[in-house]
Amino acid sequence: MKKKWIAYLLSVSIFAGSLLSGCGAKETENKGGLPETESAVLTETEESTGEEETTEETLPESPMIEANKGGQQVIDDKYRTFYEVFVYSFYDGNGDGVGDLKGLTEKLDYINDGDPATTDDLGFNGIWLMPVMPSTTYHKYDVIDYCDIDPEYGTLEDFKELMDQCHARGINVIIDFVMNHTSSKHEWFTTACAYLRDLGDGEPSESECPYYGYYNFSKEKLSGDYYKVPGADWYYEGKFWSEMPDLNLANEALRTEIGEIVSFWIDLGVDGFRLDAAKEYYSDNIPANVEVLSWFNTMVKEKKEDAYIVAEVWADMNAYAQYYESGIDSVFNFAFANSEGLIAKTVKGNAPGGAAAYGKAVAELSGQFGQYNENFIDAPFYCNHDLGRSAGYYNGEWAEAQVKMGAALNLMMNGAAFVYYGEELGMKGSGKDENKRAPMYWSEDEKMPGMCAGPKDMEDVKMKYPSLEVQKEDSYSIYNYYKQAVLLRNRYPQIARGEVAYLSGISDDKVCILKKEYEDSSILILFNLSAEKLLLNMEDFNLAKIDVDSLSLGGMLLTGEEAVSLEESGLILPPYSVAILE
């Protein structure tokens, strides 16, 4: 089919001629106009092959797809690859313009069809559902009822069907659990406020109104985010918004109630919980927050031993590492995320030390988190519903290659990796939160069945890259790149679970090499984080005590037409490419 961004791809000799020529292949264009520079690894020698430049508008299938054909080793444990879904904007199953659970169920085969032998699905084996409980807002982080489904999204029967269909495909589902605050419309809060209004000058008693103790009420307006109770001389804490009153998580009656809510959702089939705003249970009080998480973790695991729990702690790594002391499985790894996180900085070449910065940081995570909990499972992510989308991080002729490379750096990390819906299409969205939660880009035709209208206050978000219906037919698309990255993650258990070593002696500012060992089997993951084609001298691997003769090329991720090649002269890494050696 006609490519919408052919000019972006490498202009090289036809693939067969290039591969046979090995290091003697000449690129017909130095894409990006970057000068050829010396590297600590060898830069490829260029000679003319005599091949004519292809002028066709269509390209053969990406050599990446051909190279990665083969089986997978998907393990049923907590080291999953999660797809974050904002139901409101994903797929509309009833034609009202709002995404719903029936729509998501209809599109499960897009996420994972349950058959490892097929290649039509993305291959994710976990889904994180943003809040689905009744709420007054489009985002639904102000919960009115913890034991129901928001009518915009459907019914509890729809949820049960979704769980059944996910589990039939080997997909585990975790739901957003918001227990820092409720909606101001929640019965707990409205009952407590009515009680305080009727109390007059009397002293409140939890025996008279247990819900009074569920929130942080005060006779005085304390410093910080406190708001007046309507019609009463009382105040309540609302860290995020006046309509999101904070819960008092030290209250034992409330904890008992939360335990009952957890049982309700586990009985419906959920496999775990994503804990919102864990840093704000007690703002600026890490020990108190860790105690809450420790209680929650113990309580949940007593009900479901293999439940998976991941907490959002939006802070620096030294702070959120301490939350592992609670015993929860995972804490989101914010240091690698966002436009100024380590992944984007490394891809853009802004990280101190270049490619080495990523390699060293990944290798140090075990010590950083393991000191608090040796059983930690890292939770790397690149973007989420609160951050600008990654397609907006990069500009210039290499932008699409860099978008893809950022995805690789995320999905090649240890732990349970998370991907925000639409990132696999290079969707855009920045500024106000509504823009970051734009409708899933199934089609350029907004009237196509299933297309969502998006949040009503969303601005007009112009996409940079084509919709799914275009990208799925293009083997060089961002969509197909993501599919291949998840496929490799599913094929090699070492990627998510392996003990990590950064090979500093044969890495440099352009090339990062990680060794991952799991159950007596190891792989090497090599990242070319430059716009140059590079040749790695395999003799250097011997210096790192790696038997070169035993290495074979296991898989690759490519941002252009040229393949990774293991030759007698060395390993050829095209610009912004990834190779797996086993």
Side-chain angles (χ1 to χ4, degrees):
M1 83 179 272
K2 184 176 180 180
K3 300 293 179 274
K4 293 197 172 184
W5 62 96
I6 288 295
Y8 168 75
L9 299 172
L10 277 169
S11 294
V12 296
S13 303
I14 61 173
F15 170 62
S18 175
L19 189 59
L20 290 172
S21 301
C23 293
K26 175 180 173 59
E27 296 183 351
T28 60
E29 173 185 342
N30 181 13
K31 185 174 142 194
L34 297 178
E36 297 296 334
T37 58
E38 291 294 324
S39 170
V41 291
L42 298 179
T43 303
E44 180 184 4
T45 304
E46 296 188 343
E47 297 176 2
S48 174
T49 62
E51 299 285 354
E52 293 183 2
E53 180 180 346
T54 180
T55 58
E56 294 182 358
E57 287 190 326
T58 58
L59 294 173
E61 184 170 78
S62 169
M64 168 180 65
I65 295 176
E66 182 65 30
N68 293 339
K69 288 181 178 178
Q72 301 182 51
Q73 300 182 62
V74 181
I75 299 176
D76 185 15
D77 62 8
K78 294 183 181 181
Y79 289 82
R80 292 180 177 264
T81 313
F82 283 91
Y83 190 73
E84 180 190 356
V85 176
F86 180 44
V87 176
Y88 193 99
S89 291
F90 193 65
Y91 195 82
D92 176 14
N94 62 8
D96 65 355
V98 176
D100 46 49
L101 297 179
K102 284 187 175 179
L104 173 56
T105 302
E106 186 177 339
K107 281 295 182 180
L108 282 180
D109 282 352
Y110 170 76
I111 299 170
N112 191 327
D113 64 8
D115 184 355
T118 62
T119 59
D120 294 332
D121 60 317
L122 286 167
F124 289 90
N125 59 355
I127 290 177
W128 158 23
L129 289 179
M130 289 175 63
V132 296
M133 301 166 189
S135 167
T136 68
T137 60
Y138 83 95
H139 54 70
K140 309 197 187 305
Y141 277 99
D142 57 326
V143 177
I144 296 175
D145 184 349
Y146 282 100
C147 295
D148 205 352
I149 296 294
D150 192 288
E152 283 191 307
Y153 287 176
T155 66
L156 283 171
E157 289 303 314
D158 295 334
F159 186 83
K160 292 176 186 176
E161 177 65 15
L162 174 64
M163 292 300 99
D164 289 343
Q165 293 297 326
C166 284
H167 292 155
R169 292 165 171 79
I171 300 172
N172 278 11
V173 179
I174 63 173
I175 62 170
D176 230 314
F177 197 75
V178 187
M179 66 177 187
N180 177 70
H181 50 259
T182 69
S183 167
S184 61
K185 306 299 183 185
H186 196 291
E187 182 183 7
W188 299 343
F189 188 70
T190 58
T191 301
C193 288
Y195 169 73
L196 292 175
R197 281 194 296 270
D198 295 339
L199 185 63
D201 295 330
E203 288 296 320
S205 168
E206 288 186 45
S207 62
E208 295 177 346
C209 180
Y211 298 144
Y212 161 75
Y214 284 21
Y215 297 89
N216 299 316
F217 289 106
S218 172
K219 258 295 191 181
E220 300 178 357
K221 189 179 189 303
L222 303 178
S223 61
D225 302 293
Y226 273 77
Y227 302 89
K228 199 171 190 300
V229 174
D233 293 329
W234 286 84
Y235 297 86
Y236 65 91
E237 184 181 18
K239 178 70 176 179
F240 288 97
W241 182 31
S242 62
E243 306 312 303
M244 289 178 172
D246 280 18
L247 288 168
N248 172 21
L249 293 171
N251 185 277
E252 289 300 327
L254 173 59
R255 289 191 175 192
T256 298
E257 191 127 30
I258 290 174
E260 293 172 356
I261 294 166
V262 164
S263 294
F264 174 84
W265 290 103
I266 287 176
D267 289 344
L268 287 175
V270 303
D271 300 289
F273 302 92
R274 179 263 185 186
L275 299 179
D276 179 63
K279 183 173 73 74
E280 306 304 338
Y281 296 158
Y282 294 90
S283 298
D284 303 318
N285 190 336
I286 293 177
N289 292 332
V290 167
E291 188 279 326
V292 172
L293 290 176
S294 179
W295 156 74
F296 186 85
N297 181 70
T298 300
M299 178 266 293
V300 171
K301 302 296 174 60
E302 286 176 350
K303 300 174 186 295
K304 181 177 172 60
E305 186 177 3
D306 62 347
Y308 174 69
I309 299 173
V310 56
E312 177 204 28
V313 181
W314 200 336
D316 64 70
M317 187 183 291
N318 289 331
Y320 62 74
Q322 298 177 55
Y323 283 72
Y324 276 110
E325 193 171 3
S326 66
I328 63 172
D329 301 291
S330 300
V331 180
F332 283 114
N333 200 338
F334 275 88
F336 288 78
N338 210 350
S339 59
E340 294 302 314
L342 187 55
I343 288 177
K345 281 186 174 181
T346 302
V347 173
K348 289 185 283 191
N350 296 336
Y358 172 82
K360 291 176 181 177
V362 169
E364 291 171 357
L365 290 176
S366 180
Q368 185 82 10
F369 300 150
Q371 64 180 312
Y372 299 103
N373 180 359
E374 63 179 7
N375 298 315
F376 81 93
I377 300 172
D378 190 17
F381 73 105
Y382 190 24
C383 302
N384 68 15
H385 58 281
D386 289 322
L387 308 177
R389 287 187 175 275
S390 66
Y393 298 174
Y394 311 103
N395 296 298
E397 201 168 359
W398 290 97
E400 186 180 334
Q402 293 175 321
V403 168
K404 294 173 180 177
M405 199 67 194
L409 294 183
N410 180 43
L411 288 167
M412 294 298 108
M413 287 182 67
N414 281 49
F418 287 76
V419 173
Y420 188 36
Y421 81 97
E423 284 298 297
E424 75 277 14
L425 303 178
M427 283 178 58
K428 288 194 68 176
S430 60
K432 62 198 304 186
D433 284 346
E434 290 87 344
N435 299 348
K436 302 165 187 172
R437 303 165 193 181
M440 178 66 175
Y441 200 32
W442 302 106
S443 170
E444 274 92 356
D445 183 357
E446 296 178 356
K447 296 181 180 180
M448 285 288 290
M451 291 292 289
C452 299
K456 66 177 183 178
D457 293 329
M458 182 185 74
E459 298 166 344
D460 186 20
V461 180
K462 295 292 185 183
M463 296 302 165
K464 183 175 182 179
Y465 301 105
S467 67
L468 173 66
E469 65 182 0
V470 175
Q471 291 200 35
K472 68 182 180 180
E473 302 298 333
D474 176 12
S475 65
Y476 290 88
S477 66
I478 297 172
Y479 164 73
N480 275 301
Y481 187 93
Y482 263 89
K483 284 175 63 176
Q484 295 298 305
V486 175
L487 181 152
L488 292 178
R489 187 174 177 85
N490 288 338
R491 176 174 299 166
Y492 293 100
Q494 300 95 328
I495 293 176
R497 302 162 185 80
E499 182 179 345
V500 184
Y502 168 61
L503 304 186
S504 59
I506 47 178
S507 301
D508 66 4
D509 60 337
K510 296 183 178 68
V511 176
C512 168
I513 304 175
L514 297 176
K515 181 181 179 181
K516 294 194 176 187
E517 187 170 2
Y518 174 71
E519 293 187 345
D520 298 324
S521 178
S522 63
I523 61 171
L524 300 180
I525 310 177
L526 304 94
F527 305 87
N528 179 0
L529 285 150
S530 77
E532 303 171 40
K533 184 194 295 186
L534 302 175
L535 171 65
L536 274 63
N537 188 339
M538 299 305 290
E539 292 183 2
D540 292 339
F541 286 69
N542 290 323
L543 300 177
K545 298 181 179 179
I546 294 173
D547 182 6
V548 174
D549 294 334
S550 67
L551 292 176
S552 62
L553 188 57
M556 63 185 72
L557 296 173
L558 307 173
T559 59
E561 294 179 63
E562 189 171 5
V564 173
S565 178
L566 186 57
E567 308 283 343
E568 288 187 7
S569 54
L571 181 70
I572 301 170
L573 291 175
Y576 294 111
S577 63
V578 180
I580 293 180
L581 299 182
E582 56 182 343

